[in-house]
Amino acid sequence: MHGIETLQMIFCRKWRGVGTPGAGGNFIPRPATAKRSTSKPAHRPLRLGFVALTDCAPLVMAEELGLYAAHGIEVELRREVGWATIRDKIIYGELDAAQAPAGQVIAAACGLGSTKAECLTGLVLNLHGNAITLSQDLWKRGIRDGHALHAEIMRRERRYTFGVVHTYSAHNILLRNWLRAHGIEPGRDVNIVVVPPPQVHANLKAGHLDGYCAGEPWNSLAVLSGTGWCVATSEELAPEHPEKVLMVRREFAEKREAEHLALIAALLEACEFCARPENRERVMETLAQPKYVGAPIQALRMSLGGSFDYGNGRVEKQSRFHIFAGDYVNEPSLEKAHWVIRNLLASGLVAEPSEIPGERAKEWFRADLFRKARALFASAS
């Protein structure tokens, strides 16, 4: 763990030196755009956090396309190091809203792993978007699937360590379920550690991790650099699972309701833009900018371009690797909330059902807010 902690400190120092001061935040200057709405924001700009991942695309494209301004709100995009930073800044009011793993909303609302805070989401930003990456060293040792990995681990030449990006995220659920499906028990047979998304590839390359489950483009960067290969994608492991959501505090949603709904409407429009194949090249070029994801455009193209490169010569068509929009995609339904709750319990990440009472799901995943914002979007179109 010492090596991982050292890389984290280096990464944090690097990002703290950029943009607006404050605990790892990187303020993104707004592009000059024309407004569709002539109304002026009634409050200070909304502070909207994101992490450098391919699925931050709706937040970024809403800025680049002028959609926030078009819906009458002013937004400051703030790039953050990882999900713990996002969570804490939402809880303590340093961010108004943020991209977040679906499970993080429920975990924060229940006080799991953090101070308890009433949080909710009115928008699902995307489904899918993750993969399990294993080191190229494992490939050289003859590992091609989970069964071979199990045999390798049972030889116990050393203890293997795998990374996830948040304790209560889909990544941890997917990795644990995949390992168990092949007879590998997390904690007993292998270590699982939390590493911020932009650091997983560096830790794999340095030998601190033997694999990880993370969002793009950090799997494709491992493939591109020859340090890793993908053994499974989230579409294969849990079809149509909710991935990222828009996380806010209940207090914000109530006190600044009009701005919150406008924010959802703007992001919903951006989700639809990101979903269209003809827009993908522009999305990739935008995300590749250093102020957003800052990854090589080749790595971004490997999951956004209609096919997915697993590494070592395996390339398959996958038009649904990232699902940003669709009839069922963006609504924070009870079904999606219950998927998160059910899998947090089944994976062992939450021990008792009383810790995440299912009857409160409708307080955390607010389909009513989504429907109000969708009406705003429809009226503005």
Side-chain angles (χ1 to χ4, degrees), residues 47-48 50 54 60 71 74 94 123 143 169 179 189 247 250 266 268 271 295 299 306 310 329 342 351 356:
R47 300 160 299 179
L48 179 58
F50 73 97
T54 301
V60 168
H71 285 271
E74 187 177 355
E94 295 182 49
L123 178 69
I143 308 304
S169 70
L179 289 170
D189 301 324
M247 180 179 181
R250 183 184 304 277
L268 185 57
C271 286
Y310 289 77
V329 172
R342 184 172 62 253
I356 45 172

mmCIF file with all atom_site columns, all heavy atoms in Angstrom, residues 47-48 50 54 60 71 74 94 123 143 169 179 189 247 250 266 268 271 295 299 306 310 329 342 351 356:
data_model
loop_
_atom_site.group_PDB
_atom_site.id
_atom_site.type_symbol
_atom_site.label_atom_id
_atom_site.label_alt_id
_atom_site.label_comp_id
_atom_site.label_asym_id
_atom_site.label_entity_id
_atom_site.label_seq_id
_atom_site.pdbx_PDB_ins_code
_atom_site.Cartn_x
_atom_site.Cartn_y
_atom_site.Cartn_z
_atom_site.occupancy
_atom_site.B_iso_or_equiv
_atom_site.pdbx_formal_charge
_atom_site.auth_seq_id
_atom_site.auth_comp_id
_atom_site.auth_asym_id
_atom_site.auth_atom_id
_atom_site.pdbx_PDB_model_num
ATOM 1   N N   . ARG A 1 47  ? -21.222 24.923  -8.472  1.00 0.00 ? 47  ARG A N   1
ATOM 2   C CA  . ARG A 1 47  ? -19.922 24.237  -8.497  1.00 0.00 ? 47  ARG A CA  1
ATOM 3   C C   . ARG A 1 47  ? -20.179 22.760  -8.774  1.00 0.00 ? 47  ARG A C   1
ATOM 4   O O   . ARG A 1 47  ? -20.744 22.059  -7.952  1.00 0.00 ? 47  ARG A O   1
ATOM 5   C CB  . ARG A 1 47  ? -19.210 24.437  -7.156  1.00 0.00 ? 47  ARG A CB  1
ATOM 6   C CG  . ARG A 1 47  ? -18.950 25.918  -6.837  1.00 0.00 ? 47  ARG A CG  1
ATOM 7   C CD  . ARG A 1 47  ? -18.709 26.141  -5.364  1.00 0.00 ? 47  ARG A CD  1
ATOM 8   N NE  . ARG A 1 47  ? -19.887 25.731  -4.577  1.00 0.00 ? 47  ARG A NE  1
ATOM 9   C CZ  . ARG A 1 47  ? -19.941 25.797  -3.247  1.00 0.00 ? 47  ARG A CZ  1
ATOM 10  N NH1 . ARG A 1 47  ? -18.900 26.256  -2.555  1.00 0.00 ? 47  ARG A NH1 1
ATOM 11  N NH2 . ARG A 1 47  ? -21.034 25.403  -2.597  1.00 0.00 ? 47  ARG A NH2 1
ATOM 12  N N   . LEU A 1 48  ? -19.753 22.325  -9.951  1.00 0.00 ? 48  LEU A N   1
ATOM 13  C CA  . LEU A 1 48  ? -20.076 20.990  -10.453 1.00 0.00 ? 48  LEU A CA  1
ATOM 14  C C   . LEU A 1 48  ? -18.802 20.165  -10.588 1.00 0.00 ? 48  LEU A C   1
ATOM 15  O O   . LEU A 1 48  ? -17.920 20.484  -11.385 1.00 0.00 ? 48  LEU A O   1
ATOM 16  C CB  . LEU A 1 48  ? -20.784 21.111  -11.809 1.00 0.00 ? 48  LEU A CB  1
ATOM 17  C CG  . LEU A 1 48  ? -21.199 19.825  -12.523 1.00 0.00 ? 48  LEU A CG  1
ATOM 18  C CD1 . LEU A 1 48  ? -22.139 18.995  -11.654 1.00 0.00 ? 48  LEU A CD1 1
ATOM 19  C CD2 . LEU A 1 48  ? -21.865 20.161  -13.862 1.00 0.00 ? 48  LEU A CD2 1
ATOM 20  N N   . PHE A 1 50  ? -16.366 16.718  -11.190 1.00 0.00 ? 50  PHE A N   1
ATOM 21  C CA  . PHE A 1 50  ? -16.246 15.517  -12.022 1.00 0.00 ? 50  PHE A CA  1
ATOM 22  C C   . PHE A 1 50  ? -14.867 14.912  -11.836 1.00 0.00 ? 50  PHE A C   1
ATOM 23  O O   . PHE A 1 50  ? -13.948 15.554  -11.327 1.00 0.00 ? 50  PHE A O   1
ATOM 24  C CB  . PHE A 1 50  ? -16.497 15.825  -13.500 1.00 0.00 ? 50  PHE A CB  1
ATOM 25  C CG  . PHE A 1 50  ? -15.383 16.590  -14.170 1.00 0.00 ? 50  PHE A CG  1
ATOM 26  C CD1 . PHE A 1 50  ? -14.406 15.933  -14.916 1.00 0.00 ? 50  PHE A CD1 1
ATOM 27  C CD2 . PHE A 1 50  ? -15.302 17.972  -14.060 1.00 0.00 ? 50  PHE A CD2 1
ATOM 28  C CE1 . PHE A 1 50  ? -13.376 16.637  -15.527 1.00 0.00 ? 50  PHE A CE1 1
ATOM 29  C CE2 . PHE A 1 50  ? -14.276 18.683  -14.681 1.00 0.00 ? 50  PHE A CE2 1
ATOM 30  C CZ  . PHE A 1 50  ? -13.312 18.010  -15.414 1.00 0.00 ? 50  PHE A CZ  1
ATOM 31  N N   . THR A 1 54  ? -14.051 8.864   -19.081 1.00 0.00 ? 54  THR A N   1
ATOM 32  C CA  . THR A 1 54  ? -14.807 9.015   -20.318 1.00 0.00 ? 54  THR A CA  1
ATOM 33  C C   . THR A 1 54  ? -16.256 9.379   -20.041 1.00 0.00 ? 54  THR A C   1
ATOM 34  O O   . THR A 1 54  ? -16.864 10.183  -20.751 1.00 0.00 ? 54  THR A O   1
ATOM 35  C CB  . THR A 1 54  ? -14.733 7.729   -21.149 1.00 0.00 ? 54  THR A CB  1
ATOM 36  O OG1 . THR A 1 54  ? -13.358 7.453   -21.444 1.00 0.00 ? 54  THR A OG1 1
ATOM 37  C CG2 . THR A 1 54  ? -15.510 7.855   -22.444 1.00 0.00 ? 54  THR A CG2 1
ATOM 38  N N   . VAL A 1 60  ? -18.986 17.679  -19.363 1.00 0.00 ? 60  VAL A N   1
ATOM 39  C CA  . VAL A 1 60  ? -18.044 18.453  -20.173 1.00 0.00 ? 60  VAL A CA  1
ATOM 40  C C   . VAL A 1 60  ? -18.726 19.015  -21.419 1.00 0.00 ? 60  VAL A C   1
ATOM 41  O O   . VAL A 1 60  ? -18.570 20.197  -21.751 1.00 0.00 ? 60  VAL A O   1
ATOM 42  C CB  . VAL A 1 60  ? -16.848 17.559  -20.558 1.00 0.00 ? 60  VAL A CB  1
ATOM 43  C CG1 . VAL A 1 60  ? -16.000 18.223  -21.649 1.00 0.00 ? 60  VAL A CG1 1
ATOM 44  C CG2 . VAL A 1 60  ? -15.991 17.261  -19.327 1.00 0.00 ? 60  VAL A CG2 1
ATOM 45  N N   . HIS A 1 71  ? -29.851 26.944  -20.504 1.00 0.00 ? 71  HIS A N   1
ATOM 46  C CA  . HIS A 1 71  ? -30.908 26.655  -19.534 1.00 0.00 ? 71  HIS A CA  1
ATOM 47  C C   . HIS A 1 71  ? -30.919 27.651  -18.379 1.00 0.00 ? 71  HIS A C   1
ATOM 48  O O   . HIS A 1 71  ? -31.583 27.423  -17.367 1.00 0.00 ? 71  HIS A O   1
ATOM 49  C CB  . HIS A 1 71  ? -30.763 25.223  -19.021 1.00 0.00 ? 71  HIS A CB  1
ATOM 50  C CG  . HIS A 1 71  ? -31.204 24.178  -20.010 1.00 0.00 ? 71  HIS A CG  1
ATOM 51  N ND1 . HIS A 1 71  ? -32.494 23.720  -20.080 1.00 0.00 ? 71  HIS A ND1 1
ATOM 52  C CD2 . HIS A 1 71  ? -30.528 23.553  -21.008 1.00 0.00 ? 71  HIS A CD2 1
ATOM 53  C CE1 . HIS A 1 71  ? -32.593 22.824  -21.063 1.00 0.00 ? 71  HIS A CE1 1
ATOM 54  N NE2 . HIS A 1 71  ? -31.412 22.700  -21.633 1.00 0.00 ? 71  HIS A NE2 1
ATOM 55  N N   . GLU A 1 74  ? -25.397 29.287  -14.473 1.00 0.00 ? 74  GLU A N   1
ATOM 56  C CA  . GLU A 1 74  ? -23.951 29.464  -14.610 1.00 0.00 ? 74  GLU A CA  1
ATOM 57  C C   . GLU A 1 74  ? -23.270 28.368  -13.801 1.00 0.00 ? 74  GLU A C   1
ATOM 58  O O   . GLU A 1 74  ? -23.614 28.133  -12.645 1.00 0.00 ? 74  GLU A O   1
ATOM 59  C CB  . GLU A 1 74  ? -23.530 30.831  -14.087 1.00 0.00 ? 74  GLU A CB  1
ATOM 60  C CG  . GLU A 1 74  ? -22.068 31.162  -14.355 1.00 0.00 ? 74  GLU A CG  1
ATOM 61  C CD  . GLU A 1 74  ? -21.700 32.558  -13.883 1.00 0.00 ? 74  GLU A CD  1
ATOM 62  O OE1 . GLU A 1 74  ? -22.599 33.293  -13.431 1.00 0.00 ? 74  GLU A OE1 1
ATOM 63  O OE2 . GLU A 1 74  ? -20.498 32.892  -13.966 1.00 0.00 ? 74  GLU A OE2 1
ATOM 64  N N   . GLU A 1 94  ? -18.695 22.091  -0.436  1.00 0.00 ? 94  GLU A N   1
ATOM 65  C CA  . GLU A 1 94  ? -17.716 22.709  -1.323  1.00 0.00 ? 94  GLU A CA  1
ATOM 66  C C   . GLU A 1 94  ? -18.068 22.506  -2.791  1.00 0.00 ? 94  GLU A C   1
ATOM 67  O O   . GLU A 1 94  ? -17.551 23.208  -3.664  1.00 0.00 ? 94  GLU A O   1
ATOM 68  C CB  . GLU A 1 94  ? -16.313 22.159  -1.033  1.00 0.00 ? 94  GLU A CB  1
ATOM 69  C CG  . GLU A 1 94  ? -15.785 22.518  0.347   1.00 0.00 ? 94  GLU A CG  1
ATOM 70  C CD  . GLU A 1 94  ? -14.385 21.984  0.563   1.00 0.00 ? 94  GLU A CD  1
ATOM 71  O OE1 . GLU A 1 94  ? -13.530 22.189  -0.317  1.00 0.00 ? 94  GLU A OE1 1
ATOM 72  O OE2 . GLU A 1 94  ? -14.150 21.354  1.609   1.00 0.00 ? 94  GLU A OE2 1
ATOM 73  N N   . LEU A 1 123 ? -30.851 12.240  -11.707 1.00 0.00 ? 123 LEU A N   1
ATOM 74  C CA  . LEU A 1 123 ? -30.421 11.930  -13.076 1.00 0.00 ? 123 LEU A CA  1
ATOM 75  C C   . LEU A 1 123 ? -29.378 10.826  -13.079 1.00 0.00 ? 123 LEU A C   1
ATOM 76  O O   . LEU A 1 123 ? -28.381 10.900  -12.350 1.00 0.00 ? 123 LEU A O   1
ATOM 77  C CB  . LEU A 1 123 ? -29.829 13.171  -13.742 1.00 0.00 ? 123 LEU A CB  1
ATOM 78  C CG  . LEU A 1 123 ? -29.280 12.989  -15.164 1.00 0.00 ? 123 LEU A CG  1
ATOM 79  C CD1 . LEU A 1 123 ? -30.416 12.723  -16.153 1.00 0.00 ? 123 LEU A CD1 1
ATOM 80  C CD2 . LEU A 1 123 ? -28.478 14.216  -15.597 1.00 0.00 ? 123 LEU A CD2 1
ATOM 81  N N   . ILE A 1 143 ? -2.342  -16.668 -18.097 1.00 0.00 ? 143 ILE A N   1
ATOM 82  C CA  . ILE A 1 143 ? -3.697  -16.373 -17.638 1.00 0.00 ? 143 ILE A CA  1
ATOM 83  C C   . ILE A 1 143 ? -4.512  -15.832 -18.802 1.00 0.00 ? 143 ILE A C   1
ATOM 84  O O   . ILE A 1 143 ? -4.137  -14.854 -19.446 1.00 0.00 ? 143 ILE A O   1
ATOM 85  C CB  . ILE A 1 143 ? -3.675  -15.340 -16.494 1.00 0.00 ? 143 ILE A CB  1
ATOM 86  C CG1 . ILE A 1 143 ? -2.732  -15.776 -15.386 1.00 0.00 ? 143 ILE A CG1 1
ATOM 87  C CG2 . ILE A 1 143 ? -5.079  -15.109 -15.967 1.00 0.00 ? 143 ILE A CG2 1
ATOM 88  C CD1 . ILE A 1 143 ? -3.019  -17.136 -14.817 1.00 0.00 ? 143 ILE A CD1 1
ATOM 89  N N   . SER A 1 169 ? -19.006 1.364   -5.100  1.00 0.00 ? 169 SER A N   1
ATOM 90  C CA  . SER A 1 169 ? -19.297 1.600   -6.517  1.00 0.00 ? 169 SER A CA  1
ATOM 91  C C   . SER A 1 169 ? -19.560 0.287   -7.236  1.00 0.00 ? 169 SER A C   1
ATOM 92  O O   . SER A 1 169 ? -19.272 -0.809  -6.734  1.00 0.00 ? 169 SER A O   1
ATOM 93  C CB  . SER A 1 169 ? -18.117 2.316   -7.190  1.00 0.00 ? 169 SER A CB  1
ATOM 94  O OG  . SER A 1 169 ? -17.010 1.429   -7.299  1.00 0.00 ? 169 SER A OG  1
ATOM 95  N N   . LEU A 1 179 ? -14.653 -12.337 -9.400  1.00 0.00 ? 179 LEU A N   1
ATOM 96  C CA  . LEU A 1 179 ? -13.691 -13.176 -8.680  1.00 0.00 ? 179 LEU A CA  1
ATOM 97  C C   . LEU A 1 179 ? -14.390 -14.377 -8.047  1.00 0.00 ? 179 LEU A C   1
ATOM 98  O O   . LEU A 1 179 ? -13.938 -15.522 -8.182  1.00 0.00 ? 179 LEU A O   1
ATOM 99  C CB  . LEU A 1 179 ? -12.982 -12.356 -7.600  1.00 0.00 ? 179 LEU A CB  1
ATOM 100 C CG  . LEU A 1 179 ? -11.982 -11.289 -8.079  1.00 0.00 ? 179 LEU A CG  1
ATOM 101 C CD1 . LEU A 1 179 ? -11.557 -10.393 -6.923  1.00 0.00 ? 179 LEU A CD1 1
ATOM 102 C CD2 . LEU A 1 179 ? -10.763 -11.937 -8.730  1.00 0.00 ? 179 LEU A CD2 1
ATOM 103 N N   . ASP A 1 189 ? -8.414  -14.635 -0.426  1.00 0.00 ? 189 ASP A N   1
ATOM 104 C CA  . ASP A 1 189 ? -7.463  -15.090 -1.445  1.00 0.00 ? 189 ASP A CA  1
ATOM 105 C C   . ASP A 1 189 ? -6.681  -13.954 -2.093  1.00 0.00 ? 189 ASP A C   1
ATOM 106 O O   . ASP A 1 189 ? -5.563  -14.165 -2.570  1.00 0.00 ? 189 ASP A O   1
ATOM 107 C CB  . ASP A 1 189 ? -8.203  -15.876 -2.534  1.00 0.00 ? 189 ASP A CB  1
ATOM 108 C CG  . ASP A 1 189 ? -8.926  -17.089 -1.978  1.00 0.00 ? 189 ASP A CG  1
ATOM 109 O OD1 . ASP A 1 189 ? -8.390  -17.718 -1.040  1.00 0.00 ? 189 ASP A OD1 1
ATOM 110 O OD2 . ASP A 1 189 ? -10.026 -17.406 -2.466  1.00 0.00 ? 189 ASP A OD2 1
ATOM 111 N N   . MET A 1 247 ? -25.035 13.649  -8.288  1.00 0.00 ? 247 MET A N   1
ATOM 112 C CA  . MET A 1 247 ? -25.195 13.607  -6.831  1.00 0.00 ? 247 MET A CA  1
ATOM 113 C C   . MET A 1 247 ? -25.318 15.017  -6.277  1.00 0.00 ? 247 MET A C   1
ATOM 114 O O   . MET A 1 247 ? -24.507 15.893  -6.598  1.00 0.00 ? 247 MET A O   1
ATOM 115 C CB  . MET A 1 247 ? -23.991 12.900  -6.205  1.00 0.00 ? 247 MET A CB  1
ATOM 116 C CG  . MET A 1 247 ? -24.019 12.793  -4.692  1.00 0.00 ? 247 MET A CG  1
ATOM 117 S SD  . MET A 1 247 ? -22.550 11.893  -4.101  1.00 0.00 ? 247 MET A SD  1
ATOM 118 C CE  . MET A 1 247 ? -22.854 11.876  -2.335  1.00 0.00 ? 247 MET A CE  1
ATOM 119 N N   . ARG A 1 250 ? -29.724 16.949  -0.382  1.00 0.00 ? 250 ARG A N   1
ATOM 120 C CA  . ARG A 1 250 ? -31.161 17.237  -0.370  1.00 0.00 ? 250 ARG A CA  1
ATOM 121 C C   . ARG A 1 250 ? -31.399 18.739  -0.150  1.00 0.00 ? 250 ARG A C   1
ATOM 122 O O   . ARG A 1 250 ? -32.286 19.339  -0.768  1.00 0.00 ? 250 ARG A O   1
ATOM 123 C CB  . ARG A 1 250 ? -31.848 16.435  0.726   1.00 0.00 ? 250 ARG A CB  1
ATOM 124 C CG  . ARG A 1 250 ? -33.366 16.630  0.764   1.00 0.00 ? 250 ARG A CG  1
ATOM 125 C CD  . ARG A 1 250 ? -33.984 15.891  1.940   1.00 0.00 ? 250 ARG A CD  1
ATOM 126 N NE  . ARG A 1 250 ? -33.643 14.494  1.900   1.00 0.00 ? 250 ARG A NE  1
ATOM 127 C CZ  . ARG A 1 250 ? -34.287 13.575  1.163   1.00 0.00 ? 250 ARG A CZ  1
ATOM 128 N NH1 . ARG A 1 250 ? -35.309 13.954  0.394   1.00 0.00 ? 250 ARG A NH1 1
ATOM 129 N NH2 . ARG A 1 250 ? -33.946 12.306  1.184   1.00 0.00 ? 250 ARG A NH2 1
ATOM 130 N N   . ALA A 1 266 ? -30.124 20.454  -18.609 1.00 0.00 ? 266 ALA A N   1
ATOM 131 C CA  . ALA A 1 266 ? -28.938 20.697  -19.446 1.00 0.00 ? 266 ALA A CA  1
ATOM 132 C C   . ALA A 1 266 ? -28.136 19.417  -19.634 1.00 0.00 ? 266 ALA A C   1
ATOM 133 O O   . ALA A 1 266 ? -27.674 19.106  -20.748 1.00 0.00 ? 266 ALA A O   1
ATOM 134 C CB  . ALA A 1 266 ? -28.077 21.787  -18.818 1.00 0.00 ? 266 ALA A CB  1
ATOM 135 N N   . LEU A 1 268 ? -29.241 16.329  -19.321 1.00 0.00 ? 268 LEU A N   1
ATOM 136 C CA  . LEU A 1 268 ? -30.027 15.389  -20.113 1.00 0.00 ? 268 LEU A CA  1
ATOM 137 C C   . LEU A 1 268 ? -29.842 15.660  -21.603 1.00 0.00 ? 268 LEU A C   1
ATOM 138 O O   . LEU A 1 268 ? -29.686 14.732  -22.410 1.00 0.00 ? 268 LEU A O   1
ATOM 139 C CB  . LEU A 1 268 ? -31.496 15.491  -19.725 1.00 0.00 ? 268 LEU A CB  1
ATOM 140 C CG  . LEU A 1 268 ? -32.472 14.503  -20.367 1.00 0.00 ? 268 LEU A CG  1
ATOM 141 C CD1 . LEU A 1 268 ? -32.050 13.067  -20.080 1.00 0.00 ? 268 LEU A CD1 1
ATOM 142 C CD2 . LEU A 1 268 ? -33.883 14.748  -19.859 1.00 0.00 ? 268 LEU A CD2 1
ATOM 143 N N   . CYS A 1 271 ? -26.428 14.402  -22.484 1.00 0.00 ? 271 CYS A N   1
ATOM 144 C CA  . CYS A 1 271 ? -26.422 12.939  -22.579 1.00 0.00 ? 271 CYS A CA  1
ATOM 145 C C   . CYS A 1 271 ? -26.896 12.483  -23.950 1.00 0.00 ? 271 CYS A C   1
ATOM 146 O O   . CYS A 1 271 ? -26.315 11.564  -24.556 1.00 0.00 ? 271 CYS A O   1
ATOM 147 C CB  . CYS A 1 271 ? -27.303 12.333  -21.484 1.00 0.00 ? 271 CYS A CB  1
ATOM 148 S SG  . CYS A 1 271 ? -26.608 12.381  -19.820 1.00 0.00 ? 271 CYS A SG  1
ATOM 149 N N   . ALA A 1 295 ? -6.353  12.231  -21.611 1.00 0.00 ? 295 ALA A N   1
ATOM 150 C CA  . ALA A 1 295 ? -5.819  10.954  -22.080 1.00 0.00 ? 295 ALA A CA  1
ATOM 151 C C   . ALA A 1 295 ? -5.631  11.008  -23.592 1.00 0.00 ? 295 ALA A C   1
ATOM 152 O O   . ALA A 1 295 ? -6.268  11.820  -24.278 1.00 0.00 ? 295 ALA A O   1
ATOM 153 C CB  . ALA A 1 295 ? -6.776  9.824   -21.719 1.00 0.00 ? 295 ALA A CB  1
ATOM 154 N N   . ALA A 1 299 ? -6.828  6.212   -26.797 1.00 0.00 ? 299 ALA A N   1
ATOM 155 C CA  . ALA A 1 299 ? -7.395  5.476   -25.666 1.00 0.00 ? 299 ALA A CA  1
ATOM 156 C C   . ALA A 1 299 ? -8.894  5.748   -25.541 1.00 0.00 ? 299 ALA A C   1
ATOM 157 O O   . ALA A 1 299 ? -9.676  4.841   -25.258 1.00 0.00 ? 299 ALA A O   1
ATOM 158 C CB  . ALA A 1 299 ? -6.671  5.848   -24.382 1.00 0.00 ? 299 ALA A CB  1
ATOM 159 N N   . GLY A 1 306 ? -17.136 2.472   -31.171 1.00 0.00 ? 306 GLY A N   1
ATOM 160 C CA  . GLY A 1 306 ? -18.001 1.425   -31.715 1.00 0.00 ? 306 GLY A CA  1
ATOM 161 C C   . GLY A 1 306 ? -17.439 0.029   -31.590 1.00 0.00 ? 306 GLY A C   1
ATOM 162 O O   . GLY A 1 306 ? -18.136 -0.953  -31.859 1.00 0.00 ? 306 GLY A O   1
ATOM 163 N N   . TYR A 1 310 ? -9.730  -5.330  -26.327 1.00 0.00 ? 310 TYR A N   1
ATOM 164 C CA  . TYR A 1 310 ? -9.440  -5.984  -25.058 1.00 0.00 ? 310 TYR A CA  1
ATOM 165 C C   . TYR A 1 310 ? -7.948  -6.161  -24.822 1.00 0.00 ? 310 TYR A C   1
ATOM 166 O O   . TYR A 1 310 ? -7.525  -6.464  -23.714 1.00 0.00 ? 310 TYR A O   1
ATOM 167 C CB  . TYR A 1 310 ? -10.092 -7.366  -25.022 1.00 0.00 ? 310 TYR A CB  1
ATOM 168 C CG  . TYR A 1 310 ? -11.593 -7.365  -24.900 1.00 0.00 ? 310 TYR A CG  1
ATOM 169 C CD1 . TYR A 1 310 ? -12.413 -7.076  -25.998 1.00 0.00 ? 310 TYR A CD1 1
ATOM 170 C CD2 . TYR A 1 310 ? -12.219 -7.700  -23.701 1.00 0.00 ? 310 TYR A CD2 1
ATOM 171 C CE1 . TYR A 1 310 ? -13.791 -7.110  -25.890 1.00 0.00 ? 310 TYR A CE1 1
ATOM 172 C CE2 . TYR A 1 310 ? -13.597 -7.733  -23.589 1.00 0.00 ? 310 TYR A CE2 1
ATOM 173 C CZ  . TYR A 1 310 ? -14.374 -7.433  -24.683 1.00 0.00 ? 310 TYR A CZ  1
ATOM 174 O OH  . TYR A 1 310 ? -15.748 -7.466  -24.573 1.00 0.00 ? 310 TYR A OH  1
ATOM 175 N N   . VAL A 1 329 ? -32.756 4.978   -19.834 1.00 0.00 ? 329 VAL A N   1
ATOM 176 C CA  . VAL A 1 329 ? -31.396 5.139   -19.317 1.00 0.00 ? 329 VAL A CA  1
ATOM 177 C C   . VAL A 1 329 ? -31.286 6.157   -18.188 1.00 0.00 ? 329 VAL A C   1
ATOM 178 O O   . VAL A 1 329 ? -30.705 5.880   -17.130 1.00 0.00 ? 329 VAL A O   1
ATOM 179 C CB  . VAL A 1 329 ? -30.434 5.521   -20.468 1.00 0.00 ? 329 VAL A CB  1
ATOM 180 C CG1 . VAL A 1 329 ? -29.047 5.880   -19.917 1.00 0.00 ? 329 VAL A CG1 1
ATOM 181 C CG2 . VAL A 1 329 ? -30.323 4.378   -21.462 1.00 0.00 ? 329 VAL A CG2 1
ATOM 182 N N   . ARG A 1 342 ? -29.408 -4.147  -3.720  1.00 0.00 ? 342 ARG A N   1
ATOM 183 C CA  . ARG A 1 342 ? -29.332 -5.611  -3.766  1.00 0.00 ? 342 ARG A CA  1
ATOM 184 C C   . ARG A 1 342 ? -27.887 -6.099  -3.926  1.00 0.00 ? 342 ARG A C   1
ATOM 185 O O   . ARG A 1 342 ? -27.447 -7.040  -3.254  1.00 0.00 ? 342 ARG A O   1
ATOM 186 C CB  . ARG A 1 342 ? -30.203 -6.122  -4.916  1.00 0.00 ? 342 ARG A CB  1
ATOM 187 C CG  . ARG A 1 342 ? -30.288 -7.633  -5.022  1.00 0.00 ? 342 ARG A CG  1
ATOM 188 C CD  . ARG A 1 342 ? -31.327 -8.043  -6.054  1.00 0.00 ? 342 ARG A CD  1
ATOM 189 N NE  . ARG A 1 342 ? -31.002 -7.583  -7.402  1.00 0.00 ? 342 ARG A NE  1
ATOM 190 C CZ  . ARG A 1 342 ? -31.634 -6.596  -8.029  1.00 0.00 ? 342 ARG A CZ  1
ATOM 191 N NH1 . ARG A 1 342 ? -32.614 -5.947  -7.434  1.00 0.00 ? 342 ARG A NH1 1
ATOM 192 N NH2 . ARG A 1 342 ? -31.285 -6.250  -9.258  1.00 0.00 ? 342 ARG A NH2 1
ATOM 193 N N   . ALA A 1 351 ? -23.197 -5.290  5.317   1.00 0.00 ? 351 ALA A N   1
ATOM 194 C CA  . ALA A 1 351 ? -23.466 -6.533  6.037   1.00 0.00 ? 351 ALA A CA  1
ATOM 195 C C   . ALA A 1 351 ? -24.939 -6.773  6.307   1.00 0.00 ? 351 ALA A C   1
ATOM 196 O O   . ALA A 1 351 ? -25.426 -7.904  6.172   1.00 0.00 ? 351 ALA A O   1
ATOM 197 C CB  . ALA A 1 351 ? -22.687 -6.539  7.349   1.00 0.00 ? 351 ALA A CB  1
ATOM 198 N N   . ILE A 1 356 ? -29.020 -0.216  4.843   1.00 0.00 ? 356 ILE A N   1
ATOM 199 C CA  . ILE A 1 356 ? -29.480 0.467   3.627   1.00 0.00 ? 356 ILE A CA  1
ATOM 200 C C   . ILE A 1 356 ? -30.938 0.080   3.376   1.00 0.00 ? 356 ILE A C   1
ATOM 201 O O   . ILE A 1 356 ? -31.228 -0.722  2.482   1.00 0.00 ? 356 ILE A O   1
ATOM 202 C CB  . ILE A 1 356 ? -28.600 0.150   2.389   1.00 0.00 ? 356 ILE A CB  1
ATOM 203 C CG1 . ILE A 1 356 ? -28.303 -1.350  2.290   1.00 0.00 ? 356 ILE A CG1 1
ATOM 204 C CG2 . ILE A 1 356 ? -27.329 0.963   2.382   1.00 0.00 ? 356 ILE A CG2 1
ATOM 205 C CD1 . ILE A 1 356 ? -27.602 -1.728  0.996   1.00 0.00 ? 356 ILE A CD1 1
#
